[in-house]
Amino acid sequence: MFRVFFISFFLSLVNGSDIPTVKDGAMELKMIHIVWRHGDRSPTTTFKADPFQEDAWKFGGGGWGQLSPLGMYQHLNLGKKLRNRYVNAVNSTYRFLPAVYDQKTIYVRSTGINRTLISATSNMLGMYGQNGYGNTAGTDFPDALGWPPGFVPIPIHTVDYDSDHIGNMDSVCPRREWLWNLAQQSDEMKEWRNSEAVSSVIDKLTSLVNETWSLEDFWIVPDALFIEQIYYNDTLRKKNAWYSDDFYNQIVAVNDQIYMFQYGIFNKTVTMQNMNIGLELLKVRSGPLMNDMVDRIKKKSDCTYGTNLTDCNWINGLKYFVYSAHDETVYAVLVALGIERFAIIPHGYPLYSAAVSVEYWRNTTDNADYFKLVYHKQSGDDFTVMTSEIEGCVGEYCSMNVLEQIAKKLKPDQPIDQWCLVTESSSSISISISILIFFATFFNHFLL
Ligand SMILES: *[C@@H]1O[C@H](CO)[C@@H](O)[C@H](O)[C@H]1NC(C)=O
Ligand SMILES: *[C@@H]1O[C@H](CO)[C@@H](O)[C@H](O)[C@H]1NC(C)=O
Ligand SMILES: *[C@@H]1O[C@H](CO)[C@@H](O)[C@H](O)[C@H]1NC(C)=O
Ligand SMILES: *[C@@H]1O[C@H](CO)[C@@H](O)[C@H](O)[C@H]1NC(C)=O
Ligand SMILES: *[C@@H]1O[C@H](CO)[C@@H](O)[C@H](O)[C@H]1NC(C)=O
Ligand SMILES: *[C@@H]1O[C@H](CO)[C@@H](O)[C@H](O)[C@H]1NC(C)=O
Ligand SMILES: *[C@@H]1O[C@H](CO)[C@@H](O)[C@H](O)[C@H]1NC(C)=O
């Protein structure tokens, strides 16, 4: 056993990045996209009457929204787990990524804030930065006193936070706000908001802490209370004397439903201004990410099989693409795939270090592309294959067509930075276009 391990370890050292192709029967792993949530953090803000304000949070640099040592640890662990799955898996099917960091194979994209950046760093430390991983002093890191042996820094790329429509669901996007305002005028949302069960919870909270919130800001309360239970469980109950676990759970239930509405999940199709509001909301939230991913898979496929050999340099080497992001980003993927109900229980949103991995596989018998969907629900959990929960998928592998269709359905009608500025329905655009065409034709005839 040990000898087998030793030999394969030795071979992987000799081969360097020339990892033998990874096969499961006819199936060959080609590329992995992974979207994860950052780890445990301080609240990003709280309600005004909360005794736990910004100065209550000291870790991770201190203040609002910072990754805690627990959060760093959660990602260190996830990184080690990912190494076990994709680098030194017992099942050789998954021995896919090189043992030692190879710049051509990995790209890490984080949203542009501290906790996701540091989560990515912590994760890479677990995946590629430990002593005993085969990293060589003088080649992979400096052979110098003071450098932690085995630690290899991995580049974490980022983009401007406010215009990051792929990773940040709070990017500046007037269209999303506009659609959300329409959604709130729908019968379903109005009935829900005015129901006794919901208004009693919101009204009670308002009277207890003397504050009101828009529905999209309501998360601030359950989020702060969730974290205070972790760090100040006893004092929370003393200082916020109204707090009870039962009331907290009611607040969470209200918030979960708000989340679902924000991602366009309605019981009945909401049609306003000739638009399917649910679909339009999801197009703005999930569309950019799903299409970014699927376009990259398509590019990889084209370059591997010679369908289109333009600009193949980078993608040919690429095996592992990471989005280090937020609960809402992970949620955006789950909702797009229609599997959020399985992946987020018992909370309505993905937990710390939740991760969804989209594995792109090629079937060497029928020469078609497939994917496998794998979910890491929270720190400490294993990976669960979820593919068969997706509509149109049976078994572990699913035709890439299913993913392509989903991306196509959610594709914003224009490049997202332009689409975000469109705050009128396409039907009114097409009406104005037809009027324009009418007049153009009319004047054409007239002039002729
Ligand atoms: C390896 O993993 C693949 C894919 O999950 C599975 O089909 C195969 O049975 C596994 N092989 C072993 C030896 O466990
Ligand atoms: C991140 O860190 C910078 C500088 O250390 C700080 O000014 C900023 O408030 C932090 N931002 C977030 C969103 O964590
Ligand atoms: C409640 O909040 C309002 C507005 O912030 C403030 O004017 C008022 O004094 C508060 N009332 C109590 C009882 O704290
Ligand atoms: C906080 O305390 C309550 C009641 O004492 C307990 O049920 C709960 O598990 C605790 N929560 C955490 C996160 O430790
Ligand atoms: C949607 O339908 C389910 C099942 O009937 C029900 O439990 C839920 O309350 C409904 N949600 C809304 C917002 O009406
Ligand atoms: C081939 O790939 C290039 C670069 O990705 C792209 O711009 C072009 O549209 C593709 N051509 C075809 C025919 O798909
Ligand atoms: C791969 O293709 C072959 C031939 O079409 C098919 O029999 C097999 O089921 C495919 N494998 C998977 C996992 O879909």
Side-chain angles (χ1 to χ4, degrees):
M1 192 60 187
F2 177 73
R3 195 186 305 167
V4 171
F5 169 77
F6 184 77
I7 288 170
S8 54
F9 181 64
F10 179 72
L11 281 178
S12 72
L13 280 182
V14 170
N15 285 347
S17 62
D18 293 331
I19 304 286
T21 44
V22 163
K23 281 195 164 187
D24 171 18
M27 303 302 284
E28 209 174 276
L29 186 54
K30 287 288 168 199
M31 186 164 59
I32 297 156
H33 281 91
I34 183 160
V35 184
W36 66 52
R37 185 190 183 193
H38 57 76
D40 178 272
R41 61 155 164 79
S42 53
T44 52
T45 179
T46 192
F47 48 100
K48 295 191 196 88
D50 195 346
F52 305 98
Q53 293 295 325
E54 183 159 23
D55 58 3
W57 306 100
K58 307 287 186 204
F59 53 63
W64 295 134
Q66 304 306 314
L67 194 71
S68 69
L70 174 60
M72 299 170 202
Y73 174 75
Q74 288 167 339
H75 265 287
L76 175 78
N77 261 349
L78 179 59
K80 287 181 179 175
K81 256 185 207 168
L82 287 165
R83 185 176 176 91
N84 279 338
R85 183 174 177 87
Y86 294 122
V87 178
N88 44 16
V90 178
N91 184 334
S92 63
T93 301
Y94 284 101
R95 241 169 268 156
F96 175 61
L97 299 174
V100 174
Y101 168 62
D102 169 356
Q103 53 93 5
K104 289 195 169 140
T105 57
I106 297 179
Y107 191 93
V108 184
R109 170 184 173 143
S110 172
T111 62
I113 59 173
N114 302 342
R115 60 182 175 280
T116 46
L117 289 159
I118 299 175
S119 291
T121 306
S122 307
N123 193 294
M124 287 298 129
L125 177 63
M127 192 161 172
Y128 277 111
Q130 301 293 302
N131 208 5
Y133 279 2
N135 303 337
T136 314
T139 304
D140 303 307
F141 59 91
D143 189 2
L145 201 65
W147 192 274
F151 172 62
V152 179
I154 312 279
I156 313 293
H157 303 265
T158 192
V159 297
D160 171 59
Y161 193 62
D162 287 341
S163 58
D164 182 4
H165 306 295
I166 288 178
N168 172 20
M169 301 298 134
D170 298 320
S171 63
V172 177
C173 183
R175 183 179 180 82
R176 192 184 57 234
E177 316 292 327
W178 173 67
L179 291 167
W180 176 237
N181 282 332
L182 286 177
Q184 292 182 73
Q185 290 155 33
S186 67
D187 290 341
E188 184 168 336
M189 271 201 76
K190 278 199 286 198
E191 277 162 28
W192 172 82
R193 175 61 185 87
N194 296 328
S195 69
E196 170 61 19
V198 173
S199 56
S200 65
V201 173
I202 297 181
D203 294 350
K204 183 178 166 189
L205 188 62
T206 290
S207 73
L208 284 169
V209 304
N210 186 30
E211 192 173 343
T212 55
W213 306 267
S214 60
L215 287 181
E216 66 272 21
D217 284 340
F218 190 71
W219 63 270
I220 289 170
V221 180
D223 184 69
L225 293 175
F226 174 77
I227 298 164
E228 288 163 14
Q229 285 173 72
I230 298 173
Y231 286 94
Y232 291 110
N233 208 8
D234 295 335
T235 27
L236 161 66
R237 286 149 209 271
K238 288 185 193 115
K239 293 192 174 177
N240 280 319
W242 51 268
Y243 176 91
S244 73
D245 291 331
D246 187 45
F247 187 42
Y248 168 73
N249 288 331
Q250 291 173 23
I251 294 171
V252 167
V254 167
N255 193 51
D256 289 355
Q257 182 60 60
I258 297 173
Y259 250 63
M260 290 169 71
F261 285 143
Q262 285 184 306
Y263 282 78
I265 305 172
F266 298 97
N267 277 348
K268 288 193 220 97
T269 306
V270 175
T271 309
M272 291 168 111
Q273 301 193 15
N274 285 317
M275 294 179 299
N276 177 341
I277 298 291
L279 176 62
E280 291 300 318
L281 276 167
L282 201 56
K283 272 166 69 177
V284 169
R285 288 182 174 266
S286 305
L289 174 56
M290 295 309 290
N291 279 281
D292 192 57
M293 223 185 287
V294 167
D295 286 352
R296 196 171 297 107
I297 292 171
K298 174 88 172 46
K299 184 83 208 144
K300 179 82 172 179
S301 179
D302 282 351
C303 288
T304 311
Y305 301 101
T307 328
N308 177 351
L309 292 171
T310 322
D311 297 336
C312 289
N313 258 348
W314 179 64
I315 200 84
N316 277 345
L318 186 69
K319 292 177 151 195
Y320 192 68
F321 192 100
V322 175
Y323 300 90
S324 183
H326 307 268
D327 53 351
E328 291 193 292
T329 326
V330 175
Y331 197 67
V333 178
L334 301 177
V335 176
L337 300 173
I339 58 169
E340 74 287 349
R341 65 196 179 283
F342 296 103
I344 60 185
I345 296 161
H347 288 278
Y349 47 88
L351 298 163
Y352 293 138
S353 79
V356 55
S357 175
V358 180
E359 299 175 357
Y360 158 35
W361 294 76
R362 177 86 171 181
N363 184 337
T364 53
T365 308
D366 65 7
N367 278 321
D369 293 334
Y370 291 77
F371 73 97
K372 192 189 273 201
L373 203 283
V374 184
Y375 194 56
H376 171 258
K377 194 157 144 190
Q378 62 180 314
S379 184
D381 283 10
D382 281 331
F383 300 104
T384 313
V385 178
M386 306 275 296
T387 324
S388 62
E389 304 292 353
I390 300 167
E391 199 183 315
C393 298
V394 189
E396 261 185 272
Y397 298 97
C398 187
S399 167
M400 193 59 81
N401 292 333
V402 171
L403 205 59
E404 278 169 9
Q405 287 309 313
I406 290 172
K408 197 170 157 200
K409 195 179 99 188
L410 299 179
K411 194 177 170 82
D413 301 22
Q414 298 171 23
I416 187 63
D417 44 347
Q418 289 163 39
W419 191 229
C420 270
L421 302 177
V422 177
T423 53
E424 60 183 341
S425 64
S426 48
S427 63
S428 57
I429 296 177
S430 62
I431 287 170
S432 24
I433 289 175
S434 12
I435 292 174
L436 214 66
I437 291 174
F438 173 81
F439 278 106
T441 321
F442 178 82
F443 281 112
N444 232 354
H445 281 283
F446 187 73
L447 291 176
L448 285 175

mmCIF file of all heavy atoms in Angstrom, residues 178-197:
data_model
loop_
_atom_site.group_PDB
_atom_site.id
_atom_site.type_symbol
_atom_site.label_atom_id
_atom_site.label_comp_id
_atom_site.label_asym_id
_atom_site.label_seq_id
_atom_site.Cartn_x
_atom_site.Cartn_y
_atom_site.Cartn_z
ATOM 1 N N TRP A 178 -34.807 47.597 -10.385
ATOM 2 C CA TRP A 178 -36.070 47.873 -11.068
ATOM 3 C C TRP A 178 -36.964 46.625 -11.085
ATOM 4 O O TRP A 178 -38.150 46.691 -10.749
ATOM 5 C CB TRP A 178 -35.759 48.342 -12.498
ATOM 6 C CG TRP A 178 -36.942 48.503 -13.386
ATOM 7 C CD1 TRP A 178 -37.930 49.426 -13.267
ATOM 8 C CD2 TRP A 178 -37.251 47.713 -14.536
ATOM 9 N NE1 TRP A 178 -38.842 49.265 -14.281
ATOM 10 C CE2 TRP A 178 -38.450 48.221 -15.079
ATOM 11 C CE3 TRP A 178 -36.629 46.632 -15.170
ATOM 12 C CZ2 TRP A 178 -39.043 47.684 -16.223
ATOM 13 C CZ3 TRP A 178 -37.211 46.102 -16.305
ATOM 14 C CH2 TRP A 178 -38.412 46.621 -16.820
ATOM 15 N N LEU A 179 -36.369 45.478 -11.430
ATOM 16 C CA LEU A 179 -37.134 44.231 -11.464
ATOM 17 C C LEU A 179 -37.624 43.859 -10.067
ATOM 18 O O LEU A 179 -38.741 43.374 -9.881
ATOM 19 C CB LEU A 179 -36.272 43.094 -12.023
ATOM 20 C CG LEU A 179 -35.912 43.186 -13.508
ATOM 21 C CD1 LEU A 179 -34.801 42.194 -13.836
ATOM 22 C CD2 LEU A 179 -37.146 42.921 -14.372
ATOM 23 N N TRP A 180 -36.778 44.113 -9.083
ATOM 24 C CA TRP A 180 -37.133 43.781 -7.697
ATOM 25 C C TRP A 180 -38.310 44.639 -7.231
ATOM 26 O O TRP A 180 -39.217 44.149 -6.559
ATOM 27 C CB TRP A 180 -35.903 43.953 -6.817
ATOM 28 C CG TRP A 180 -36.112 43.747 -5.353
ATOM 29 C CD1 TRP A 180 -35.845 44.633 -4.362
ATOM 30 C CD2 TRP A 180 -36.609 42.565 -4.701
ATOM 31 N NE1 TRP A 180 -36.150 44.089 -3.141
ATOM 32 C CE2 TRP A 180 -36.627 42.818 -3.316
ATOM 33 C CE3 TRP A 180 -37.056 41.321 -5.155
ATOM 34 C CZ2 TRP A 180 -37.061 41.885 -2.379
ATOM 35 C CZ3 TRP A 180 -37.493 40.381 -4.221
ATOM 36 C CH2 TRP A 180 -37.494 40.668 -2.860
ATOM 37 N N ASN A 181 -38.306 45.911 -7.629
ATOM 38 C CA ASN A 181 -39.444 46.763 -7.284
ATOM 39 C C ASN A 181 -40.723 46.265 -7.938
ATOM 40 O O ASN A 181 -41.785 46.259 -7.318
ATOM 41 C CB ASN A 181 -39.180 48.220 -7.693
ATOM 42 C CG ASN A 181 -38.252 48.895 -6.698
ATOM 43 O OD1 ASN A 181 -38.228 48.522 -5.524
ATOM 44 N ND2 ASN A 181 -37.482 49.853 -7.157
ATOM 45 N N LEU A 182 -40.616 45.828 -9.180
ATOM 46 C CA LEU A 182 -41.793 45.264 -9.850
ATOM 47 C C LEU A 182 -42.259 44.013 -9.111
ATOM 48 O O LEU A 182 -43.446 43.842 -8.836
ATOM 49 C CB LEU A 182 -41.464 44.906 -11.304
ATOM 50 C CG LEU A 182 -41.315 46.063 -12.292
ATOM 51 C CD1 LEU A 182 -40.907 45.525 -13.657
ATOM 52 C CD2 LEU A 182 -42.627 46.844 -12.406
ATOM 53 N N ALA A 183 -41.302 43.154 -8.771
ATOM 54 C CA ALA A 183 -41.643 41.894 -8.101
ATOM 55 C C ALA A 183 -42.424 42.169 -6.820
ATOM 56 O O ALA A 183 -43.374 41.456 -6.488
ATOM 57 C CB ALA A 183 -40.373 41.105 -7.796
ATOM 58 N N GLN A 184 -42.036 43.223 -6.123
ATOM 59 C CA GLN A 184 -42.697 43.519 -4.856
ATOM 60 C C GLN A 184 -44.139 43.999 -5.048
ATOM 61 O O GLN A 184 -44.913 44.002 -4.102
ATOM 62 C CB GLN A 184 -41.897 44.577 -4.081
ATOM 63 C CG GLN A 184 -40.568 44.013 -3.612
ATOM 64 C CD GLN A 184 -39.774 45.013 -2.807
ATOM 65 O OE1 GLN A 184 -40.101 45.304 -1.668
ATOM 66 N NE2 GLN A 184 -38.740 45.557 -3.406
ATOM 67 N N GLN A 185 -44.458 44.388 -6.272
ATOM 68 C CA GLN A 185 -45.846 44.790 -6.549
ATOM 69 C C GLN A 185 -46.686 43.604 -7.030
ATOM 70 O O GLN A 185 -47.872 43.762 -7.322
ATOM 71 C CB GLN A 185 -45.864 45.896 -7.608
ATOM 72 C CG GLN A 185 -45.318 47.227 -7.092
ATOM 73 C CD GLN A 185 -44.780 48.101 -8.207
ATOM 74 O OE1 GLN A 185 -45.290 48.068 -9.328
ATOM 75 N NE2 GLN A 185 -43.743 48.869 -7.917
ATOM 76 N N SER A 186 -46.079 42.443 -7.156
ATOM 77 C CA SER A 186 -46.837 41.280 -7.621
ATOM 78 C C SER A 186 -47.808 40.833 -6.537
ATOM 79 O O SER A 186 -47.583 41.060 -5.347
ATOM 80 C CB SER A 186 -45.878 40.135 -7.969
ATOM 81 O OG SER A 186 -45.258 39.663 -6.783
ATOM 82 N N ASP A 187 -48.904 40.186 -6.957
ATOM 83 C CA ASP A 187 -49.892 39.693 -5.983
ATOM 84 C C ASP A 187 -49.233 38.735 -4.995
ATOM 85 O O ASP A 187 -49.483 38.801 -3.798
ATOM 86 C CB ASP A 187 -51.028 38.969 -6.713
ATOM 87 C CG ASP A 187 -51.881 39.959 -7.501
ATOM 88 O OD1 ASP A 187 -51.805 41.171 -7.186
ATOM 89 O OD2 ASP A 187 -52.593 39.524 -8.425
ATOM 90 N N GLU A 188 -48.381 37.854 -5.529
ATOM 91 C CA GLU A 188 -47.794 36.843 -4.641
ATOM 92 C C GLU A 188 -46.966 37.494 -3.530
ATOM 93 O O GLU A 188 -47.064 37.123 -2.366
ATOM 94 C CB GLU A 188 -46.934 35.859 -5.437
ATOM 95 C CG GLU A 188 -46.386 34.738 -4.551
ATOM 96 C CD GLU A 188 -45.764 33.590 -5.333
ATOM 97 O OE1 GLU A 188 -46.122 33.391 -6.511
ATOM 98 O OE2 GLU A 188 -44.919 32.893 -4.757
ATOM 99 N N MET A 189 -46.138 38.469 -3.902
ATOM 100 C CA MET A 189 -45.305 39.094 -2.866
ATOM 101 C C MET A 189 -46.135 39.954 -1.930
ATOM 102 O O MET A 189 -45.876 39.999 -0.726
ATOM 103 C CB MET A 189 -44.186 39.925 -3.500
ATOM 104 C CG MET A 189 -42.937 39.100 -3.758
ATOM 105 S SD MET A 189 -41.439 40.113 -3.922
ATOM 106 C CE MET A 189 -41.083 40.558 -2.232
ATOM 107 N N LYS A 190 -47.133 40.639 -2.466
ATOM 108 C CA LYS A 190 -47.967 41.481 -1.600
ATOM 109 C C LYS A 190 -48.745 40.620 -0.598
ATOM 110 O O LYS A 190 -48.796 40.930 0.585
ATOM 111 C CB LYS A 190 -48.921 42.334 -2.451
ATOM 112 C CG LYS A 190 -48.224 43.587 -3.001
ATOM 113 C CD LYS A 190 -49.194 44.671 -3.437
ATOM 114 C CE LYS A 190 -49.869 44.295 -4.733
ATOM 115 N NZ LYS A 190 -50.485 45.398 -5.459
ATOM 116 N N GLU A 191 -49.322 39.538 -1.123
ATOM 117 C CA GLU A 191 -50.087 38.649 -0.231
ATOM 118 C C GLU A 191 -49.189 38.064 0.848
ATOM 119 O O GLU A 191 -49.563 37.964 2.012
ATOM 120 C CB GLU A 191 -50.743 37.518 -1.036
ATOM 121 C CG GLU A 191 -52.063 37.937 -1.661
ATOM 122 C CD GLU A 191 -52.493 36.995 -2.788
ATOM 123 O OE1 GLU A 191 -52.110 35.792 -2.747
ATOM 124 O OE2 GLU A 191 -53.188 37.467 -3.706
ATOM 125 N N TRP A 192 -48.007 37.677 0.430
ATOM 126 C CA TRP A 192 -47.058 37.102 1.398
ATOM 127 C C TRP A 192 -46.675 38.147 2.451
ATOM 128 O O TRP A 192 -46.735 37.885 3.650
ATOM 129 C CB TRP A 192 -45.809 36.625 0.642
ATOM 130 C CG TRP A 192 -44.699 36.187 1.547
ATOM 131 C CD1 TRP A 192 -44.562 34.969 2.153
ATOM 132 C CD2 TRP A 192 -43.584 36.989 1.974
ATOM 133 N NE1 TRP A 192 -43.426 34.960 2.927
ATOM 134 C CE2 TRP A 192 -42.804 36.180 2.843
ATOM 135 C CE3 TRP A 192 -43.156 38.288 1.708
ATOM 136 C CZ2 TRP A 192 -41.629 36.637 3.436
ATOM 137 C CZ3 TRP A 192 -41.996 38.747 2.307
ATOM 138 C CH2 TRP A 192 -41.248 37.918 3.161
ATOM 139 N N ARG A 193 -46.322 39.345 1.991
ATOM 140 C CA ARG A 193 -45.872 40.391 2.909
ATOM 141 C C ARG A 193 -46.979 40.795 3.888
ATOM 142 O O ARG A 193 -46.722 41.088 5.060
ATOM 143 C CB ARG A 193 -45.390 41.609 2.110
ATOM 144 C CG ARG A 193 -44.993 42.839 2.935
ATOM 145 C CD ARG A 193 -43.845 42.528 3.872
ATOM 146 N NE ARG A 193 -43.509 43.653 4.756
ATOM 147 C CZ ARG A 193 -44.093 43.881 5.933
ATOM 148 N NH1 ARG A 193 -45.061 43.090 6.369
ATOM 149 N NH2 ARG A 193 -43.710 44.904 6.689
ATOM 150 N N ASN A 194 -48.224 40.800 3.396
ATOM 151 C CA ASN A 194 -49.328 41.233 4.244
ATOM 152 C C ASN A 194 -49.917 40.105 5.078
ATOM 153 O O ASN A 194 -50.806 40.356 5.900
ATOM 154 C CB ASN A 194 -50.434 41.863 3.390
ATOM 155 C CG ASN A 194 -49.936 43.132 2.716
ATOM 156 O OD1 ASN A 194 -49.088 43.838 3.270
ATOM 157 N ND2 ASN A 194 -50.430 43.418 1.523
ATOM 158 N N SER A 195 -49.444 38.893 4.851
ATOM 159 C CA SER A 195 -50.011 37.778 5.628
ATOM 160 C C SER A 195 -49.682 37.973 7.105
ATOM 161 O O SER A 195 -48.667 38.585 7.466
ATOM 162 C CB SER A 195 -49.449 36.446 5.118
ATOM 163 O OG SER A 195 -48.084 36.354 5.449
ATOM 164 N N GLU A 196 -50.551 37.435 7.931
ATOM 165 C CA GLU A 196 -50.391 37.561 9.383
ATOM 166 C C GLU A 196 -49.028 36.985 9.819
ATOM 167 O O GLU A 196 -48.289 37.617 10.575
ATOM 168 C CB GLU A 196 -51.565 36.810 10.060
ATOM 169 C CG GLU A 196 -51.462 36.614 11.556
ATOM 170 C CD GLU A 196 -51.408 37.922 12.340
ATOM 171 O OE1 GLU A 196 -51.821 38.957 11.757
ATOM 172 O OE2 GLU A 196 -50.926 37.920 13.486
ATOM 173 N N ALA A 197 -48.679 35.818 9.269
ATOM 174 C CA ALA A 197 -47.449 35.140 9.688
ATOM 175 C C ALA A 197 -46.217 36.020 9.455
ATOM 176 O O ALA A 197 -45.316 36.077 10.298
ATOM 177 C CB ALA A 197 -47.301 33.828 8.926
#
